[in-house]
């Protein structure tokens, strides 16, 4: 009877200022403060996050756990294990929830259906935003507007766990995040696949709104893109049926000239690692070019760094070798209905 209705689990690493902004926003929730708790899972931060939380004037129950740095997946799992609420909301530390955020997530689950609910998280932009942030925001914010349409059909790549809610019992039955995903990328999709296979319906609720303060530079974006290439190989090795829904199917989509140049540059980077730095320096030389030119170069760079991650992972792990002929022979038509 004393169980909390809602537990908000927040994994964090060295973002004390962002955490304070998030916790402050939770003080303004329309959902009763006595009915939710906040569990902050601190992934080895040494930037004053613990001290800030210890002094924070929260109107709700808040506690934190600290553990050595081991990545977002383990931080999420440790937080989930420490939570006591019937409903879990997993929230990234760069979010600023609207006042109706918790209430909207909670009301989504009152229908009794077996649901996983994704909240809206448009990326905040202002004059100080980097081009890398604006580039990602353009795609991400546009996709969220489409997802808000009542007749939108959910696809596996639409899933993200930065503002996601699910009944604790349901998640424990399916299993927590897969801890073999040790670096950035696709851990959310892997969980989503297991949830869907178990009969959970994934829906999007635009009323469960957060502002996302995504702040990234070119180097950080491309590093994450390499990790995405590495982790998509792991995802498909676990769930082979997802191959046709992910970027791995698109190896042959680009024109032959780009494919050859990309192939040469991938091998150059694997044999001579400083190649990556040279490519980044080349991209930076276009920082004063038009946004259209920069966007084209970013698209090419992200495609290149993604496939660099894929082939590096396949080259390092013999168990992934059977993927090579499938990737190279797959013919995907991006214009097909």
């Amino acid at each position: 009877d004393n169980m909390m209705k809602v537990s908000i689990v927040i994994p964090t690493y060295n973002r004390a200022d962002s955490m304070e902004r998030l916790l402050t926003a939770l003080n303004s929730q329309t959902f009763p403060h006595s009915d939710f708790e906040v569990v902050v899972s601190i992934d080895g931060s040494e930037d004053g996050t613990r001290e800030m939380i210890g002094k924070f004037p929260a109107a709700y129950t808040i506690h934190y756990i600290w553990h050595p740095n081991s990545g977002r997946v383990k931080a999420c799992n440790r937080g989930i294990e420490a939570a006591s609420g019937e409903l879990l909301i997993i929230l990234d530390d760069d979010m600023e929830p609207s006042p109706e955020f918790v209430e909207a997530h909670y009301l989504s689950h009152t229908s009794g259906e077996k649901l996983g609910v994704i909240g809206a998280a448009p990326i905040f932009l202002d004059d100080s935003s980097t081009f890398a942030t604006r580039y990602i925001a353009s795609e991400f914010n546009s996709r969220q507007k489409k997802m808000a349409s009542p007749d939108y059909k959910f696809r596996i790549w639409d899933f993200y766990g930065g503002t996601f809610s699910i009944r604790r019992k349901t998640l424990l039955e399916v299993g927590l995040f897969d801890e073999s995903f040790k670096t950035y990328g696709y851990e959310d999709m892997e969980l989503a696949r297991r949830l869907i296979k178990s009969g959970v319906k994934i829906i999007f609720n635009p009323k469960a709104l957060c502002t996302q303060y995504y702040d990234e530079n070119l180097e950080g974006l491309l590093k994450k893109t390499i990790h995405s290439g590495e982790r998509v190989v792991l995802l498909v090795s676990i769930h082979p049926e997802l191959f046709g829904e992910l970027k791995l199917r698109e190896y042959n989509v680009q024109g032959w000239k780009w494919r050859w140049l990309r192939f040469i540059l991938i091998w150059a980077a694997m044999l001579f690692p400083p190649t990556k730095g040279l490519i980044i320096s080349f991209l930076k030389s276009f920082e004063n070019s038009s946004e259209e030119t920069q966007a084209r170069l970013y698209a090419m760079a992200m495609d290149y760094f993604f496939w660099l991650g894929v082939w590096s992972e396949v080259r390092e792990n013999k168990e992934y070798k059977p993927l090579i002929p499938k990737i190279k022979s797959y013919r995907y038509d991006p214009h097909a209905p």
Side-chain angles (χ1 to χ4, degrees):
D1 290 340
N2 294 324
M3 182 180 286
M4 284 285 181
K5 289 184 177 179
V6 178
S7 291
I8 303 172
V9 175
I10 309 169
T12 187
Y13 175 66
N14 282 347
R15 283 183 171 172
D17 291 342
S18 291
M19 275 302 312
E20 186 169 13
R21 177 179 59 215
L22 191 164
L23 297 177
T24 300
L26 290 175
N27 268 343
S28 301
Q29 293 300 298
T30 56
F31 194 75
H33 292 154
S34 59
D35 287 344
F36 72 90
E37 67 172 355
V38 173
V39 180
V40 183
S41 182
I42 305 175
D43 188 32
S45 300
E46 295 289 0
D47 66 339
T49 298
R50 284 180 286 184
E51 293 78 7
M52 181 275 293
I53 294 172
K55 296 185 292 186
F56 186 80
Y60 43 83
T61 300
I62 182 171
H63 55 99
Y64 71 82
I65 54 175
W66 187 97
H67 42 85
N69 179 246
S70 52
R72 179 179 181 270
V73 168
K74 283 194 175 182
C76 280
N77 286 349
R78 300 299 88 80
I80 292 166
E81 290 165 352
S84 63
E86 297 173 76
L87 180 70
L88 296 173
I89 301 176
I90 300 169
L91 190 59
D92 280 349
D93 61 5
D94 60 353
M95 302 290 186
E96 183 178 17
S98 65
E100 298 80 18
F101 170 77
V102 177
E103 184 176 9
H105 268 292
Y106 182 80
L107 291 176
S108 293
H109 293 271
T110 55
S111 67
E113 285 189 87
K114 202 173 178 182
L115 295 178
V117 180
I118 302 170
I123 295 173
F124 174 81
L125 295 173
D126 63 13
D127 292 341
S128 68
S129 299
T130 64
F131 186 81
T133 298
R134 296 201 304 275
Y135 181 82
I136 294 299
S138 174
E139 189 277 334
F140 188 77
N141 292 352
S142 174
R143 180 152 50 102
Q144 291 220 327
K145 287 180 182 178
K146 293 177 184 177
M147 289 171 66
S149 172
D151 58 351
Y152 184 82
K153 186 176 179 181
F154 175 81
R155 302 165 300 178
I156 194 71
W157 62 79
D158 292 322
F159 188 85
Y160 60 94
T163 164
F164 176 69
S165 63
I166 189 166
R167 289 188 179 275
R168 187 171 186 271
K169 180 182 177 183
T170 302
L171 182 58
L172 293 178
E173 288 172 353
V174 173
L176 305 187
F177 287 94
D178 186 336
E179 294 188 5
S180 60
F181 288 78
K182 299 184 186 304
T183 56
Y184 173 87
Y186 290 94
E187 71 277 6
D188 291 344
M189 284 191 204
E190 195 285 323
L191 174 60
R193 183 57 183 159
R194 283 187 283 123
L195 290 171
I196 292 168
K197 286 173 77 172
S198 75
V200 174
K201 181 182 179 182
I202 306 293
I203 66 170
F204 179 75
N205 186 350
K207 293 181 180 179
L209 174 67
C210 285
T211 299
Q212 183 177 176
Y213 290 88
Y214 179 91
D215 184 21
E216 195 60 88
N217 57 28
L218 177 61
E219 289 92 337
L221 177 61
L222 296 181
K223 182 179 179 181
K224 286 182 176 179
T225 305
I226 290 175
H227 288 321
S228 291
E230 295 167 346
R231 295 289 74 81
V232 75
V233 173
L234 174 59
L235 175 62
V236 170
S237 73
I238 298 170
H239 302 287
E241 72 279 7
L242 289 180
F243 182 94
E245 298 185 48
L246 302 171
K247 188 175 169 61
L248 285 176
R249 66 185 177 178
E250 299 178 14
Y251 184 70
N252 295 301
V253 167
Q254 305 293 340
W256 69 268
K257 291 181 181 179
W258 169 243
R259 294 204 307 271
W260 270 106
L261 177 59
R262 185 180 63 191
F263 173 79
I264 292 168
L265 291 174
I266 286 170
W267 275 100
M270 288 196 291
L271 297 173
F272 183 65
T275 299
K276 291 181 287 187
L278 294 173
I279 292 173
I280 291 172
S281 295
F282 172 77
L283 291 170
K284 284 184 172 181
S285 70
F286 287 87
E287 285 180 343
N288 295 322
S289 300
S290 69
E291 293 209 354
E292 183 180 353
T293 297
Q294 289 187 75
R296 274 203 309 270
L297 289 171
Y298 266 59
M300 293 172 70
M302 290 185 70
D303 183 65
Y304 162 69
F305 279 93
F306 172 83
W307 287 108
L308 174 60
V310 169
W311 294 124
S312 297
E313 188 73 2
V314 170
R315 188 180 181 219
E316 274 189 35
N317 297 279
K318 291 181 180 179
E319 66 204 86
Y320 300 142
K321 299 269 185 217
L323 266 178
I324 296 175
K326 187 171 185 179
I327 291 172
K328 289 185 174 180
S329 63
Y330 197 89
R331 291 295 181 267
Y332 165 65
D333 181 3
H335 304 295

